Amino acid sequence: MTETKQIRGKVVVITGGARGIGLATATALQALGAQIAIGDIDETTVKESGTARNFEHYGKLDVTDQESFDGFLDEVERTLGPIDVLINNAGIMPTGRVVDEPEELTRRILDINVYGVILGSKLALRRMLPRRGGHIINIASLAGETHIPGLATYNASKHAVLGFTDTLREEYRGTGVRFSSVLPTLTNTELGSGVTPPKLLRPAEPEEIADAVAKLIVAPKSKVRVTAVAGFISQFVGLLPEALGDGIGRALGSGRAFLDDVDADKRKAYEERAPGAGARAPGRGGGAGGGGGGGG
Ligand code: NAD
């Protein structure tokens, strides 16, 4: 059970908080006494979730839009006080072969998953540095440490988040602001719907990611991988010679999990719902290699 005293009263902003990992994290931190602000591009669902859970603040936020993001943070600080923790969680994960990915979709993935994290981190830093305190937590993925066919642009985006967050940790060492990355395995949310989990790797529940985030706030560290087993496999496979690592990935099924083995109807439903994640050309077939760890 996480200690509550380090979390009680903290002002925590969570992007993409209307559902999934963001909502589970908001719920867990609220139970530990934090003051919660969730923002999401899906205005209807963020209002429903905010009202249902009685969060202190909720509303529309587009992480790719500077005015929207800055305005949201201003509003939170006006109503709740200085932001202690920003969790850059909003993200999308379209699946399929990169050759079929329209340019618009490639840009959208990078815009939300990478630029949104960079923008949020800059806006939070400008507020936190003068106060010499704060914590920026970026939700990356085990896909940021490996390579999974069917997720090429998503993989690239999560590798970028890890590189960015590690760099900030060094660039702002000694300022009082902390930086962490969270690396979930495939997790049971709408984002991963219709994907067949790789063998031996059970999908995580969003509450497990939420628990890891709560522990990070209590005892900050640079990275946390969830689940521990998937994190271990991912790191271990990364140390092996390339051909062996890729072979293990294929044996675990991660070469097909996001291509041939997807439930096309479920993926379509997700991609139609997720903002800007749709509009992929047909032709998902044909699996290839794949690293271990089971990203998502
Ligand atoms: P989800 O689809 O359930 O929720 C994501 C939320 O982000 C949605 O409510 C969506 O409306 C919001 N969003 C999308 N674009 C936005 C924008 N421009 N501005 C603001 N909000 C926006 O997904 P999830 O599984 O909860 O994913 C949360 C994070 O965890 C993502 O960064 C994802 O890449 C990461 N992650 C997920 C998994 C998984 O398997 N579910 C695994 C590893 C990492």
Side-chain angles (χ1 to χ4, degrees):
M1 184 61 193
T2 306
E3 283 285 326
T4 58
K5 66 177 188 297
Q6 291 99 324
I7 293 179
R8 180 151 304 151
K10 285 215 158 123
V11 175
V12 180
V13 175
I14 306 176
T15 71
R19 56 168 66 72
I21 291 172
L23 181 58
T25 303
T27 306
L29 295 176
Q30 180 188 47
L32 294 169
Q35 300 185 72
I36 301 295
I38 56 167
D40 201 291
I41 199 167
D42 180 346
E43 198 171 359
T44 308
T45 310
V46 81
K47 284 188 176 154
E48 280 167 12
S49 300
T51 317
R53 313 281 164 120
N54 210 15
F55 292 140
E56 278 76 11
H57 188 84
Y58 47 87
K60 183 163 185 188
L61 159 66
D62 179 355
V63 298
T64 70
D65 178 328
Q66 182 177 355
E67 214 176 298
S68 165
F69 212 150
D70 213 13
F72 187 87
L73 299 183
D74 277 344
E75 188 60 31
V76 171
E77 297 213 312
R78 242 192 321 271
T79 52
L80 302 180
I83 294 163
D84 296 297
V85 182
L86 170 66
I87 304 176
N88 284 308
N89 164 76
I92 59 171
M93 188 188 77
T95 54
R97 295 172 79 80
V98 73
V99 72
D100 297 325
E101 189 172 277
E103 299 321 303
E104 204 181 292
L105 181 54
T106 304
R107 284 184 188 276
R108 189 72 185 145
I109 298 168
L110 297 176
D111 213 15
I112 297 172
N113 294 9
V114 182
Y115 176 69
V117 171
I118 294 175
L119 175 62
S121 301
K122 288 202 283 191
L123 296 175
L125 259 178
R126 287 175 193 146
R127 292 157 201 270
M128 291 171 175
L129 285 173
R131 302 198 291 259
R132 300 197 64 77
H135 194 168
I136 297 174
I137 299 178
N138 293 331
I139 308 297
S141 167
L142 287 180
E145 287 189 324
T146 182
H147 45 282
I148 304 168
L151 289 184
T153 305
Y154 180 82
N155 266 279
S157 75
K158 295 301 184 178
H159 278 255
V161 170
L162 288 177
F164 176 72
T165 312
D166 277 338
T167 305
L168 294 193
R169 193 160 44 78
E170 279 303 303
E171 193 169 302
Y172 297 98
R173 183 172 291 280
T175 64
V177 182
R178 310 300 295 259
F179 303 90
S180 306
S181 307
V182 180
L183 290 76
T185 188
L186 186 65
T187 303
N188 279 326
T189 69
E190 287 178 27
L191 176 139
S193 61
V195 169
T196 308
K199 283 175 217 149
L200 305 180
L201 291 175
R202 72 165 177 88
E205 295 305 324
E207 291 72 24
E208 294 177 81
I209 318 302
D211 189 48
V213 172
K215 291 195 168 93
L216 266 184
I217 296 174
V218 172
K221 54 182 182 170
S222 65
K223 283 185 194 69
V224 61
R225 297 172 182 83
V226 193
T227 62
V229 170
F232 174 79
I233 292 176
S234 172
Q235 285 180 285
F236 176 71
V237 168
L239 296 173
L240 297 174
E242 194 175 271
L244 184 56
D246 285 355
I248 291 176
R250 281 194 297 274
L252 291 174
S254 68
R256 302 167 52 89
F258 296 85
L259 281 171
D260 300 347
D261 292 351
V262 298
D263 177 327
D265 290 340
K266 287 192 181 154
R267 288 312 297 160
K268 189 159 174 276
Y270 162 70
E271 292 182 6
E272 278 170 5
R273 190 276 296 158
R280 181 183 287 275
R284 296 171 180 286

